[in-house]
Amino acid sequence: MELRHLRYFVTLAEELHFGRAAERLHIAQPPLSQQIRQLEAELGFDLFHRTKRKVELSEAGEVFLIHVQQIFRQLEQAILLGRQTSRGEIGQLVVGFVSSAAYNIFPDILRNFRNHVSNINLELHELTTNEQLSWLQSGRIDVAFVRPPVDTNTYSSKIVFQESLAIALPENHPCASLDRVSLQSFAKESFILFPRFLAPGLYDLIISFCQQVGFSPKVAQEAIQMQTIVSLVAADIGVAIVPESLQNLQRTGVVYKSFVEETPQVSIAMIWRKNDLSPILHKFLEVILINN
């Protein structure tokens, strides 16, 4: 049994006239009659009652028609879903991001994508840069938002955001009332910083910035997440050099200050596996790269 046999049957069932059905199907009447008889022989029951004056569905034909029409509706739905999937318009995308990205470009990226494509489920994971690299390599996430540098031999990448550095101070710090501060004035302060292996690019920029003005920071406490670092600043454990956009994280007991010195630019990079052919990933990249 072939799909065309079922189409012939449905068309004849709708027309109940061999001539009109053949015309709709763009075939001659005798081949249509032959195909219907072959289908009935294969099924083992009559689909139609035929007389010289009219054609009627048999009781078995009426039941068969209901289910065949359902099959065609399911087939049309399957074709539609297949086309949408092939265009990257439906499915799931797993996205990793560093916590600090949530305070700058990441919400805009998600909103922008949702405005363009609404049928893709985004599964989000807040991870450190090194965790994302591991997850991306193992296929647990499809795209990552990390702190550079990135291994360009393994991943494709695009810088999606750049910003300056700022300093987070306890609200009772002597410099808290100043508009701008000099990094050099914090040479003897205790600093809160994340371990280098979590984001070596950002870590090295911060250390290098301090060394450029004549000192190496004394790290009193390490913390993994930026939110934790800011909370420790509020607890007066020390001060912290952070990406400027972290000022969007409002925390009681903390103030943020810009530097007098020109600071290095810190970046957020979007990265993905080279040669990844996923239509959903390519739809995501298309929307984000066009609008950033």
Side-chain angles (χ1 to χ4, degrees), residues 11 46 82 89 115 121 161 164-165 177 183 197 210 235 239 257-258 261 268 281 288:
T11 303
D46 290 339
E89 296 173 354
N115 289 338
N121 176 51
F161 185 75
S164 299
L165 293 170
S177 60
L183 176 58
F197 73 90
C210 292
V239 301
K257 297 297 174 180
S258 298
E261 298 88 353
I268 297 288
L281 171 63
I288 302 312

Coordinates of all heavy atoms in Angstrom, one line a residue, residues 11 46 82 89 115 121 161 164-165 177 183 197 210 235 239 257-258 261 268 281 288:
T11 N -9.9 11.3 -2.0 CA -10.5 12.1 -3.0 C -11.8 11.6 -3.6 O -12.8 12.3 -3.7 CB -9.4 12.3 -4.2 OG1 -8.2 12.9 -3.6 CG2 -10.0 13.3 -5.2
D46 N -14.6 -4.1 0.8 CA -15.0 -3.1 -0.2 C -15.0 -1.7 0.5 O -15.5 -1.6 1.6 CB -16.4 -3.4 -0.7 CG -16.3 -4.6 -1.7 OD1 -15.2 -4.9 -2.2 OD2 -17.4 -5.2 -1.9
G82 N 8.8 19.2 11.1 CA 10.1 18.9 10.5 C 10.6 20.2 9.8 O 11.8 20.5 10.0
E89 N 13.4 26.8 14.2 CA 12.3 27.5 14.7 C 11.6 26.8 15.9 O 10.7 27.3 16.5 CB 11.3 27.8 13.6 CG 11.9 28.8 12.6 CD 11.0 28.9 11.4 OE1 9.9 28.3 11.4 OE2 11.3 29.7 10.5
N115 N 11.9 37.6 21.2 CA 11.1 38.4 20.3 C 11.1 37.9 18.9 O 10.1 38.1 18.1 CB 11.5 39.9 20.4 CG 11.2 40.6 21.7 OD1 10.3 40.1 22.4 ND2 12.0 41.6 22.0
N121 N 12.7 26.3 23.3 CA 12.8 26.3 24.8 C 14.3 26.5 25.1 O 15.2 25.8 24.7 CB 12.4 24.9 25.4 CG 12.6 24.8 26.9 OD1 12.2 25.7 27.6 ND2 13.3 23.8 27.3
F161 N 30.1 41.9 24.3 CA 30.0 43.0 25.3 C 31.4 43.4 25.8 O 32.2 42.5 26.1 CB 29.1 42.6 26.5 CG 28.8 43.7 27.5 CD1 27.9 44.7 27.2 CD2 29.5 43.7 28.7 CE1 27.7 45.8 28.1 CE2 29.2 44.7 29.6 CZ 28.3 45.8 29.3
S164 N 34.4 48.6 31.3 CA 35.5 49.0 32.1 C 35.4 48.3 33.5 O 34.4 47.6 33.7 CB 35.6 50.5 32.3 OG 35.8 51.2 31.1
L165 N 36.4 48.5 34.3 CA 36.4 47.9 35.7 C 36.0 49.0 36.6 O 36.2 50.2 36.4 CB 37.8 47.4 36.0 CG 38.3 46.1 35.3 CD1 39.7 45.9 35.6 CD2 37.4 44.9 35.6
S177 N 32.7 58.4 49.7 CA 32.0 59.7 49.3 C 32.6 60.3 48.1 O 32.1 61.3 47.6 CB 32.1 60.6 50.5 OG 33.5 60.9 50.8
L183 N 43.1 53.8 41.8 CA 43.5 52.5 42.2 C 44.7 52.5 43.1 O 44.8 51.7 44.1 CB 43.7 51.6 41.0 CG 44.1 50.2 41.3 CD1 43.1 49.4 42.1 CD2 44.4 49.4 40.0
F197 N 41.7 30.0 38.3 CA 41.3 29.0 37.3 C 39.9 29.1 36.9 O 39.5 28.6 35.8 CB 41.5 27.6 38.0 CG 40.5 27.2 39.0 CD1 39.3 26.5 38.7 CD2 40.8 27.5 40.4 CE1 38.4 26.2 39.7 CE2 39.9 27.2 41.3 CZ 38.7 26.5 41.0
C210 N 46.4 46.3 38.7 CA 47.0 46.7 39.9 C 48.6 46.9 39.8 O 49.1 47.9 40.3 CB 46.8 45.7 41.0 SG 45.0 45.6 41.5
A235 N 30.3 43.0 54.0 CA 30.7 42.6 55.4 C 32.0 43.2 55.8 O 32.5 42.8 56.9 CB 30.8 41.1 55.4
V239 N 37.9 45.0 49.7 CA 37.4 45.7 48.6 C 37.5 44.8 47.4 O 38.2 43.8 47.5 CB 38.1 47.0 48.3 CG1 38.0 48.0 49.5 CG2 39.6 46.8 47.9
K257 N 32.6 52.6 42.7 CA 33.3 53.8 42.2 C 34.0 53.5 40.9 O 34.7 52.5 40.8 CB 34.2 54.3 43.3 CG 33.5 54.7 44.6 CD 32.6 55.9 44.4 CE 31.8 56.2 45.6 NZ 30.8 57.3 45.4
S258 N 34.0 54.5 40.0 CA 34.8 54.4 38.8 C 36.3 54.9 39.2 O 36.5 55.6 40.2 CB 34.3 55.4 37.8 OG 33.0 54.9 37.4
E261 N 42.1 56.3 36.8 CA 43.0 55.7 35.8 C 42.1 55.0 34.7 O 41.0 54.6 34.9 CB 43.9 54.6 36.4 CG 44.8 55.0 37.4 CD 44.3 55.0 38.8 OE1 43.0 54.8 39.0 OE2 45.0 55.3 39.8
I268 N 32.7 40.0 27.4 CA 31.9 38.7 27.4 C 31.9 38.2 26.0 O 31.6 38.9 25.1 CB 30.4 39.0 27.8 CG1 30.3 39.5 29.3 CG2 29.6 37.7 27.7 CD1 30.6 38.5 30.3
L281 N 20.9 26.1 16.9 CA 22.1 26.9 17.3 C 22.3 28.0 16.3 O 22.5 29.2 16.6 CB 23.3 26.1 17.4 CG 24.6 26.8 17.6 CD1 24.7 27.6 18.9 CD2 25.8 25.9 17.5
I288 N 21.3 36.7 17.3 CA 22.1 37.5 18.2 C 23.2 38.3 17.5 O 23.4 39.4 17.8 CB 22.8 36.5 19.2 CG1 21.7 35.7 20.0 CG2 23.7 37.3 20.2 CD1 20.6 36.6 20.6

